[in-house]
Amino acid sequence: MTQGTQQGAVGGVPAERWREREEEDSLFRQLRLTVRQGLERDAGTPAHAWEALTQVGAWEFALPIGMDGLDLGQAVAAMVCEEGGDAMQPVPLTDTLLALDVLSGLGPLAPDGLDGLLDRVREGTHPIAVPGRLPDPRGSVPPGITWKPDGDGGGIVLDGSGGPFAAGVGPGSLLVLASGPDGPCVALVDLPAGGVEVRPLRDHGGGAVAGAVFDQAHVPAGSVVLRGIAAERALARVGLRAAVHQASLLAGITAAALTAVVSRIRSRRQFGQALVKHQGPRLRVAGLLARLDAVRWAVGDAAKDLDENRLTCGEAAGLIALTAETALDVTRDAVHLHGASGLVRDGLVAGCYRRAAWEALRCGRPAHLWDIAAHG
């Protein structure tokens, strides 16, 4: 999607008011502009979007310096997720960032060949997808996939299914989160693999999406990343980051929908004048922009708190619940404001609505997340 830098307005306010934060320093703003321009220029397809993210160094942003990364912090990673959501290309962006987060924190537990895997990820040749939901802010493993020991060799057997996940570019590996008799387990399954089937799901306009089915899939010990207490601790750490990254992605999808709405009401005429001149749609869009602004401020502040180790589980849960509800509400209203054209399967606003419908649930249902926030 190419959005440009047009100075459209709702009530005279520049169209990109929901895309900038005035307090961003010049270096951060330039980095955001670099990521945005790369996606706008090259993201004609999911493959092009993935290449654009690789060219701007998005995977180095998230890695520590000791692993040849730039260690720019979670605020930068969240910004990349927001711009990726705004580009509306179905790539496993938050999934790959979560995988890098898990793998970079392993230390002496790192499996053999980790350096080679990270090199392939940095080169853009090895996307990593997480089938099903991401861990919630407490680090709890979502239901759907179970594991059991595979003899005495340290391997495991996986059963169950997980989905959906963005599949615009085919993943080289699946980072599988499973529950079992000894607690959670994290396994890295290279594709193709016996007993593992990646099934394309029906695309309703939000982009390519898939699920994964595990049928007695034997995973060798070398591919079992973490299990038991070690997995619980790692997932509790990355669960907070996953919530912020997913909230940023949803904010970007919401911004893409509102960009389409602003363009629509400025170009559509009714009773002899543009829709933007009518008070009803004008005030309605202004309300949607205000909700998105509030979410973007909350996400930005949470990312900074995450960098300073101040973000709590309850705050992260409240953030993703608020963002998910806002994305669902705003994209639904965007469809209504488009009228019949909002129902066109290949239209941008319909795609935003349909993608938000499943992306909003990847860290858990909002009601469950609000409960965590209340007791967190």
Side-chain angles (χ1 to χ4, degrees), residues 39-59:
L39 287 170
E40 290 180 345
R41 180 177 62 251
D42 299 325
T45 66
H48 291 151
W50 193 259
E51 183 180 355
L53 289 168
T54 301
Q55 288 177 348
V56 300
W59 319 124

Side-chain angles (χ1 to χ4, degrees), residues 2 6 12 21 55 111 124 143 159 176 182 194 223 230 240 271-272 311 331 345-346 355:
T2 300
Q6 63 179 351
R21 290 188 56 171
Q55 288 177 348
D159 280 292
V176 183
D182 299 323
S223 297
L240 292 176
F271 303 116
L311 187 68
T331 54
R345 178 181 179 276
D346 294 329
R355 186 171 175 198

Side-chain angles (χ1 to χ4, degrees), residues 126 218 277 299:
H126 200 97
H218 293 263
K277 300 294 185 180
V299 171

Side-chain angles (χ1 to χ4, degrees), residues 256-278:
L258 283 176
T259 299
V261 167
V262 170
S263 176
R264 173 72 175 179
I265 67 171
R266 291 180 66 233
S267 61
R268 182 75 172 175
R269 299 184 66 82
Q270 192 173 63
F271 303 116
Q273 58 183 351
L275 273 179
V276 72
K277 300 294 185 180
H278 294 271

Side-chain angles (χ1 to χ4, degrees), residues 114-302:
L114 177 61
D115 290 342
L117 172 63
L118 294 180
D119 287 341
R120 294 195 300 274
V121 173
R122 277 192 289 261
E123 292 166 0
T125 60
H126 200 97
I128 302 176
V130 179
R133 292 182 182 176
L134 308 177
D136 70 20
R138 296 177 302 186
S140 299
V141 172
I145 305 172
T146 60
W147 71 275
K148 61 184 179 182
D150 186 13
D152 299 326
I156 61 173
V157 178
L158 295 174
D159 280 292
S161 62
F165 59 87
V169 292
S173 297
L174 298 177
L175 188 76
V176 183
L177 311 178
S179 56
D182 299 323
C185 178
V186 181
L188 192 64
V189 179
D190 291 334
L191 298 175
V196 181
E197 181 183 1
V198 175
R199 294 180 178 175
L201 302 178
R202 186 174 180 183
D203 174 14
H204 290 283
V209 63
V213 178
F214 301 87
D215 183 13
Q216 293 288 299
H218 293 263
V219 180
S223 297
V224 179
V225 178
L226 292 165
R227 66 168 121 182
I229 295 177
E232 289 179 0
R233 291 174 178 170
L235 291 175
R237 175 178 61 86
V238 302
L240 292 176
R241 301 184 182 188
V244 174
H245 295 167
Q246 191 67 13
S248 301
L249 182 81
L250 287 168
I253 293 172
T254 307
L258 283 176
T259 299
V261 167
V262 170
S263 176
R264 173 72 175 179
I265 67 171
R266 291 180 66 233
S267 61
R268 182 75 172 175
R269 299 184 66 82
Q270 192 173 63
F271 303 116
Q273 58 183 351
L275 273 179
V276 72
K277 300 294 185 180
H278 294 271
Q279 188 177 44
R282 181 173 175 170
L283 292 178
R284 191 173 178 184
V285 172
L288 299 180
L289 291 174
R291 291 190 66 180
L292 177 58
D293 271 346
V295 162
R296 293 189 69 243
W297 280 100
V299 171
D301 290 342

Side-chain angles (χ1 to χ4, degrees), residues 27 57 107 144 271 338 340 343 364:
L27 182 60
F271 303 116
H338 268 66
L343 303 175

